[in-house]
Amino acid sequence: MTARSLLRRAVPLLAVGALAVTGLTGCQSNVPGTDCPMFPASSHWHAPLKDLPVLANSSSIVATVGSSAGLKADFGSGLWDGGPIGIPYVVVPGTQPKVRVTFDYADESDAGPYPIPANPPIEGGADADGDRHILIVDKGACRLYELYDAHPTATTAWTAGSGAIWDLRSNALRPAGWTSADAAGLPILPGLVRYDEVAAGRVDHAIRMTVPVSRTAYVWPARHQAGSTASTNAPAMGQRFRLKSSVKESDFPASVRPIITALKTYGAINADNGSAWFLSGVPDPRWDNDDLATLRRIPGSSFEAVDASGLVVSAGSGEAKR
């Protein structure tokens, strides 16, 4: 276990962030405002889970997360504690100057440099003391740059806890045992719920989620763990959860039905320690917070932990079998 594993989120996440300054149009499988895919169509992010088997101890894993705890959209419109709600991202041109970043966990971070623009949107806002993620898409190179606990210095340089650079056209995973800007060693952006995709009626990917207690293990496609127990009844990083078919979209506002369908089709993926059943998304002034709040009517017991090992093509690749 790395030192970072011991530090990663002992308190519940109530993540907030600056409004994304990216365009809100584009193909469902592309990063909005770019010609870059949100990882390949063959990626595990876009792999249906409907036929995957349920783990034998699924009910125990769900109980560890919280059987009675309600699903929570950890994103929305407006402000919470002074900052917009969610994890923002920004799209920059290929000409964006890159700057040096110094990392606390340099041995598991990509050195960069990183194309951080002036006044980038930071999770929680410029003065936040939380996770302070910065997500940047270079639309010229179709590369995703992600930072955890990012802070500017007195010069143009930055410091961060950790950082990762991803080729959006590739299924390559991090080296085994490496973190990223997330505890599971996964990219954050492809797991975020965005307003544009929900408004278009289809979320075509798994959704990032957090759990209060995780196991000291990771399962494909995760590459890193930040657990506090060896119990197999606690979810590993990378554990996939599928919403049961008994939950009916028609019981919910139309504006959240694509999220429910995505949780049945692609599931949620445990990516970090935090609050139970918290789903991550991008802040947007057009979210209807009252509609998003209806997701709380879905208890943890409506989920099942599934075995995704049958999707693996190669342990070092995020490509999934179809």
Side-chain angles (χ1 to χ4, degrees):
M1 183 186 302
T2 65
R4 183 168 183 248
S5 298
L6 296 173
L7 292 172
R8 289 290 287 203
R9 259 77 80 202
V11 298
L13 283 180
L14 288 174
V16 295
L19 287 178
V21 291
T22 173
L24 291 168
T25 60
C27 298
Q28 282 298 104
S29 295
N30 280 10
V31 178
T34 78
D35 294 324
C36 304
M38 192 69 83
F39 289 93
S42 59
S43 167
H44 71 89
W45 288 106
H46 307 295
L49 306 183
K50 285 185 175 181
D51 297 326
L52 293 185
V54 177
L55 290 173
N57 64 334
S58 171
S59 60
S60 296
I61 293 175
V62 167
T64 299
V65 180
S67 297
S68 61
L71 189 64
K72 173 69 163 62
D74 197 21
F75 55 92
S77 62
L79 303 177
W80 183 88
D81 199 23
I85 309 165
I87 302 177
Y89 72 100
V90 62
V91 174
V92 300
T95 55
Q96 175 65 45
K98 294 181 174 68
V99 301
R100 179 173 56 86
V101 180
T102 301
F103 295 105
D104 295 334
Y105 305 99
D107 58 333
E108 294 181 15
S109 295
D110 293 327
Y114 287 66
I116 305 175
N119 302 311
I122 301 173
E123 181 185 6
D127 299 322
D129 57 3
D131 285 355
R132 294 183 60 90
H133 287 116
I134 294 180
L135 313 183
I136 304 165
V137 175
D138 175 344
K139 67 178 182 180
C142 288
R143 290 191 176 272
L144 169 63
Y145 295 78
E146 298 190 338
L147 297 169
Y148 159 69
D149 196 23
H151 297 263
T153 67
T155 65
T156 58
W158 284 70
T159 65
S162 55
I165 303 172
W166 309 86
D167 182 348
L168 289 167
R169 298 190 179 102
S170 171
N171 279 318
L173 299 177
R174 305 284 284 162
W178 277 36
T179 190
S180 59
D182 220 356
L186 295 169
I188 296 171
L189 181 60
L192 301 182
V193 181
R194 308 188 315 272
Y195 180 86
D196 61 289
E197 60 185 353
V198 172
R202 181 169 179 251
V203 176
D204 70 344
H205 57 82
I207 299 174
R208 178 186 186 268
M209 65 167 281
T210 62
V211 300
V213 178
S214 63
R215 189 161 86 244
T216 51
Y218 60 87
V219 295
W220 181 91
R223 306 297 275 173
H224 183 265
Q225 60 87 14
S228 58
T229 176
S231 172
T232 57
N233 290 329
M237 286 294 163
Q239 176 61 55
R240 301 293 278 264
F241 293 89
R242 181 175 59 207
L243 187 62
K244 296 177 181 178
S245 60
S246 57
V247 177
K248 303 301 182 184
E249 285 89 337
S250 58
D251 291 339
F252 294 84
S255 61
V256 299
R257 291 174 190 170
I259 300 174
I260 296 172
T261 299
L263 290 170
K264 292 180 179 181
T265 306
Y266 305 101
I269 185 166
N270 178 32
D272 203 351
N273 298 316
S275 293
W277 309 112
F278 270 38
L279 301 180
S280 301
V282 178
D284 194 289
R286 296 172 293 179
W287 288 120
D288 186 317
N289 289 342
D290 290 337
D291 284 358
L292 291 174
T294 64
L295 292 172
R296 297 189 185 193
R297 302 202 304 256
I298 301 175
S301 58
S302 292
F303 285 87
E304 49 197 7
V306 299
D307 180 359
S309 62
L311 296 177
V312 179
V313 173
S314 170
S317 171
E319 181 182 4
K321 294 178 182 176
R322 291 299 192 270

